[in-house]
Amino acid sequence: ELKVEQNPLFLSMQEGKNYTIYCNYSTTSDRLYWYRQDPGKSLESLFVLLSNGAVKQEGRLMASLDTKARLSTLHITAAVHDPSATYFCAVGRAGGTSYGKLTFGQGTILTVHP
Amino acid sequence: KAGVTQTPRYLIKTRGQQVTLSCSPISGHRSVSWYQQTPGQGLQFLFEYFSETQRNKGNFPGRFSGRQFSNSRSEMNVSTLELGDSALYLCASSPSTDTGELFFGEGSRLTVL
């Protein structure tokens, strides 16, 4: 059974500083996704990582994937105007018959303080 | 391009009743998946449909069922509601390309009293 673990589960950030969320998964997988969820809202896709060594950046966010270590990291540079949000990693396999089945981590709740 | 649309957005039911939730995927997306989100269990996969066929099913009791229509729209049904079924039910569609990226709707928040 595939298991996905994130840490930390809570992150209180200071403006301008850098933080990292770690996402470990238990079995071989070739696809990893990062999503963001604002309170009371749906999931917004941030990154799709499809190969070992993949690195993607968007603004103050950067994600990477190490399939050998079964580890993905999400680096965040905090800004004071960032609202609280929960970040999820999810692991799945595309191709074949499993397009829509993802296993999600527990989520990391981020808050930013001035 | 319109996103994934779910209806209703909010609903309240009592134990023992049944509920049907609807999902319209992004135009051109043939894969629709359903997830349940609760504070205790997090996001859990319910089932996935592709071209009107259930392709995967999560570890949920038979009270949870779904279907997909020829226009890719999907419905899920929960019968004999229990208090523990209170959750946000999220639908996601996928273009079924190599990325497997899912696009989520706003969800249907079900409260069971």
Side-chain angles (χ1 to χ4, degrees):
Chain A
E1 180 190 350
L2 173 60
K3 294 190 177 182
V4 181
E5 291 191 356
Q6 286 180 235
N7 72 83
L9 299 184
F10 300 92
L11 202 48
S12 179
M13 306 190 295
Q14 282 189 306
E15 178 191 4
K17 293 192 175 180
N18 299 317
Y19 298 85
T20 301
I21 302 173
Y22 298 91
C23 175
N24 290 91
Y25 52 98
S26 61
T27 63
T28 302
S29 176
D30 53 2
R31 311 193 180 273
L32 190 134
Y33 309 85
W34 284 96
Y35 287 90
R36 170 192 167 112
Q37 186 176 39
D38 291 327
K41 300 293 186 180
S42 187
L43 294 160
E44 174 192 0
S45 179
L46 296 175
F47 298 110
V48 178
L49 302 169
L50 302 178
S51 60
N52 186 43
V55 178
K56 291 196 174 179
Q57 183 163 8
E58 182 72 34
R60 293 175 289 102
L61 299 176
M62 184 174 72
S64 63
L65 177 61
D66 181 345
T67 58
K68 294 179 182 177
R70 298 177 187 165
L71 170 69
S72 179
T73 57
L74 179 67
H75 300 285
I76 303 171
T77 300
V80 69
H81 60 267
D82 283 339
S84 295
T86 302
Y87 290 77
F88 293 94
C89 66
V91 178
R93 302 186 68 88
T97 62
S98 300
Y99 288 114
K101 183 177 182 180
L102 298 182
T103 300
F104 281 82
Q106 312 96 306
T108 299
I109 300 174
L110 271 62
T111 55
V112 180
H113 302 281
Chain B
K1 201 173 189 180
V4 177
T5 304
Q6 292 187 244
T7 57
R9 292 289 314 281
Y10 304 91
L11 64 166
I12 300 173
K13 294 285 187 178
T14 57
R15 279 181 299 175
Q17 287 187 311
Q18 73 166 13
V19 66
T20 299
L21 308 178
S22 180
C23 172
S24 294
I26 293 171
S27 178
H29 289 192
R30 296 167 61 191
S31 171
V32 173
S33 301
W34 289 88
Y35 287 81
Q36 181 195 65
Q37 185 176 27
T38 60
Q41 299 299 316
L43 280 152
Q44 293 186 289
F45 171 77
L46 279 158
F47 26 65
E48 176 196 4
Y49 288 88
F50 181 80
S51 294
E52 302 178 66
T53 301
Q54 187 180 86
R55 195 154 65 173
N56 274 300
K57 190 177 193 300
N59 189 26
F60 279 82
R63 300 185 296 108
F64 292 80
S65 63
R67 59 179 176 169
Q68 186 181 34
F69 302 95
S70 59
N71 61 358
S72 294
R73 190 177 70 85
S74 178
E75 290 181 347
M76 67 163 283
N77 183 276
V78 188
S79 62
T80 319
L81 285 166
E82 300 177 0
L83 296 178
D85 297 333
S86 295
L88 179 66
Y89 290 89
L90 292 163
C91 170
S93 73
S94 169
S96 303
T97 62
D98 288 344
T99 69
E101 186 176 11
L102 299 186
F103 297 85
F104 284 84
E106 293 287 328
S108 293
R109 185 167 294 281
L110 170 65
T111 301
V112 182
L113 302 176

PDB file of all heavy atoms in Angstrom, chain B residues 5 9 22 62 81:
ATOM      1  N   THR B   5     -17.143  21.782 -12.370  1.00  0.00           N
ATOM      2  CA  THR B   5     -18.315  22.313 -11.674  1.00  0.00           C
ATOM      3  C   THR B   5     -18.983  21.226 -10.869  1.00  0.00           C
ATOM      4  O   THR B   5     -19.315  20.164 -11.402  1.00  0.00           O
ATOM      5  CB  THR B   5     -19.328  22.885 -12.686  1.00  0.00           C
ATOM      6  OG1 THR B   5     -18.681  23.879 -13.490  1.00  0.00           O
ATOM      7  CG2 THR B   5     -20.501  23.525 -11.946  1.00  0.00           C
ATOM      8  N   ARG B   9     -23.319  22.794  -3.833  1.00  0.00           N
ATOM      9  CA  ARG B   9     -22.112  23.175  -3.093  1.00  0.00           C
ATOM     10  C   ARG B   9     -22.233  22.831  -1.611  1.00  0.00           C
ATOM     11  O   ARG B   9     -21.254  22.449  -0.986  1.00  0.00           O
ATOM     12  CB  ARG B   9     -21.851  24.669  -3.243  1.00  0.00           C
ATOM     13  CG  ARG B   9     -21.463  25.088  -4.645  1.00  0.00           C
ATOM     14  CD  ARG B   9     -20.043  24.599  -5.015  1.00  0.00           C
ATOM     15  NE  ARG B   9     -19.094  24.860  -3.968  1.00  0.00           N
ATOM     16  CZ  ARG B   9     -18.526  26.030  -3.731  1.00  0.00           C
ATOM     17  NH1 ARG B   9     -18.823  27.069  -4.502  1.00  0.00           N
ATOM     18  NH2 ARG B   9     -17.652  26.183  -2.755  1.00  0.00           N
ATOM     19  N   SER B  22     -23.201  15.857  -8.058  1.00  0.00           N
ATOM     20  CA  SER B  22     -22.950  15.918  -9.496  1.00  0.00           C
ATOM     21  C   SER B  22     -21.653  16.645  -9.809  1.00  0.00           C
ATOM     22  O   SER B  22     -21.250  17.556  -9.086  1.00  0.00           O
ATOM     23  CB  SER B  22     -24.117  16.632 -10.185  1.00  0.00           C
ATOM     24  OG  SER B  22     -23.902  16.704 -11.575  1.00  0.00           O
ATOM     25  N   GLY B  62     -19.843  -0.225   0.183  1.00  0.00           N
ATOM     26  CA  GLY B  62     -20.692  -0.248  -0.991  1.00  0.00           C
ATOM     27  C   GLY B  62     -21.768   0.825  -1.012  1.00  0.00           C
ATOM     28  O   GLY B  62     -22.401   1.044  -2.049  1.00  0.00           O
ATOM     29  N   LEU B  81     -27.040   7.299   4.776  1.00  0.00           N
ATOM     30  CA  LEU B  81     -26.019   8.195   5.307  1.00  0.00           C
ATOM     31  C   LEU B  81     -25.751   7.969   6.785  1.00  0.00           C
ATOM     32  O   LEU B  81     -26.662   7.714   7.579  1.00  0.00           O
ATOM     33  CB  LEU B  81     -26.431   9.644   5.069  1.00  0.00           C
ATOM     34  CG  LEU B  81     -26.274  10.144   3.640  1.00  0.00           C
ATOM     35  CD1 LEU B  81     -27.022  11.466   3.454  1.00  0.00           C
ATOM     36  CD2 LEU B  81     -24.805  10.299   3.272  1.00  0.00           C
TER      37      LEU B  81
END
